[in-house]
Amino acid sequence: MAELKKVGVLTSGGDAPGMNAAIRAAVRSCIFYGIEPVAIREGYKGLIDNDLEVMNARSVANIINQGGTFLKSARCAEFRTPEGRAKAFANAKAAGLDGLVVIGGDGSFTGAMLIEKEHGLPCVGVPGTIDNDIFGTDFTIGYDTALNTVVEAIDKIRDTATSHNRLFLVEVMGRDAGFIALNTGIAAGAEQILIPEEQKSVNELMDDIANSGRAGKTSSIVVVSEGDKSGGVFELASKIEDSFPDYDVKVTVLGHTQRGGKPSCSDRVLASRLGVAAVEALREGDSGVMVGVRNQQVVQTPLEEAISKHNAIDKALLKVAEIVTV
Ligand code: F6P
């Protein structure tokens, strides 16, 4: 067991609902195990700028129900340089940090892996991103909340779409992965779902829209993942309008609304489990790993694998989507 006296906690990259619950869990497990927790503000930037503060159990009171991250988050260009990481390490050492809990996505884990390799600072990652695109965990913190936010929004769009016989293209987040689009598309009853993992041509989409019309549908919702490579929702909309002049085509980009809001119960529990697991991993002397859940169990994955591998889309879900929209 590693002798840990002080552990730093930071959130980095895009924020996700449930990050606060993960910070709370990491801070409180430090206290539970007699370790001093140190908050690092604005991700790696805070380590470079020496923006650190010792926490106590009450410092993280009343945040479990709040979206965002009270520590703030950033994508730090300076930390991507060896000099930036050396500066960050010097500050970590001066503050007496024996390890870091890094809550974020693949960019954040790349930083953790590098500072550990170059300077020997033990790091454990906690997957926090709405995209659910991190290998080594079935679910990332924030994903479940984002799914619910999107479904609620599309339900509202459906009300107006049916009232006007309109076709809506709804763009959802997911820079490189279609998990949000595929699952919300099914849950909200979308007629078509476009994801980067199963690229559909514009012609195929047109055929589907024409078939929907022939099947008697008077309005349609197409969920388009941000990572889809058909040229973006606005270009798609104009192509559809050119081919179907009778259709009234509208575009809604849900954007950052998907990143905010109160975390769901599921995300709060996941964040609490993983925040505790991260500190326990450091205590056990594990580092260079990410904690995640696979088949309901907490597991560890080397950061290198978490960054380089990808969770595959469940092809059976695509079939389900096709069947339920005949
Ligand atoms: O990685 C999470 C994510 O929400 C992506 O889905 C999206 O492409 C990106 O972050 C947006 O990042 P930013 O808030 O920096 O524009």
Side-chain angles (χ1 to χ4, degrees), residues 58-302:
R58 299 285 76 75
S59 318
V60 288
N62 307 317
I63 61 167
I64 192 166
N65 55 336
Q66 287 170 17
T69 159
F70 91 109
L71 290 183
K72 296 189 183 287
S73 192
R75 294 190 168 102
C76 179
E78 196 179 349
F79 195 75
R80 290 196 201 112
T81 66
E83 297 74 25
R85 291 190 292 276
K87 205 162 155 191
F89 176 69
N91 286 335
K93 204 173 161 208
L97 299 185
D98 305 308
L100 280 189
V101 172
V102 175
I103 306 163
D106 51 5
S108 317
F109 296 162
T110 304
M113 203 178 71
L114 290 173
I115 198 169
E116 161 140 38
K117 277 195 176 151
E118 292 166 357
H119 303 285
L121 180 66
C123 291
V124 171
V126 175
T129 163
I130 64 163
D131 291 358
N132 204 39
D133 60 346
I134 306 285
F135 182 82
T137 189
D138 290 339
F139 303 107
T140 56
I141 297 164
Y143 172 59
D144 182 67
T145 307
L147 291 182
N148 288 308
T149 303
V150 172
V151 168
E152 209 183 311
I154 301 179
D155 285 350
K156 288 179 179 157
I157 291 170
R158 182 173 291 285
D159 288 344
T160 175
T162 51
S163 303
H164 289 276
N165 294 343
R166 279 176 173 162
L167 187 148
F168 268 85
L169 296 176
V170 183
E171 188 196 89
V172 300
M173 274 189 171
R175 197 171 17 210
D176 308 304
F179 293 102
I180 295 179
L182 181 55
N183 286 277
T184 59
I186 292 174
E191 276 64 34
Q192 278 90 36
I193 303 168
L194 303 186
I195 56 172
E197 293 87 344
E198 201 70 18
Q199 196 58 51
K200 220 177 221 186
S201 70
V202 177
N203 286 343
E204 281 175 286
L205 176 67
M206 303 284 194
D207 287 347
D208 288 346
I209 293 171
N211 287 337
S212 281
R214 281 193 284 273
K217 297 192 181 191
T218 54
S219 65
S220 278
I221 289 176
V222 181
V223 175
V224 185
S225 173
E226 183 190 14
D228 176 71
K229 294 171 189 75
S230 327
V233 267
F234 292 100
E235 200 177 312
L236 265 180
S238 66
K239 282 181 185 159
I240 295 169
E241 271 171 342
D242 287 348
S243 305
F244 302 97
D246 295 342
Y247 274 40
D248 191 4
V249 184
K250 297 283 174 193
V251 172
T252 303
V253 177
L254 294 182
H256 288 78
T257 57
Q258 299 161 89
R259 287 245 293 264
K262 277 179 174 295
S264 67
C265 174
S266 218
D267 273 330
R268 296 181 201 193
V269 175
L270 177 67
S272 301
R273 284 179 88 184
L274 297 185
V276 168
V279 172
E280 288 181 340
L282 284 170
R283 280 188 88 228
E284 293 293 325
D286 300 327
S287 66
V289 294
M290 180 196 83
V291 289
V293 281
R294 283 276 194 221
N295 302 319
Q296 317 278 3
Q297 300 301 314
V298 174
V299 294
Q300 291 186 3
T301 303

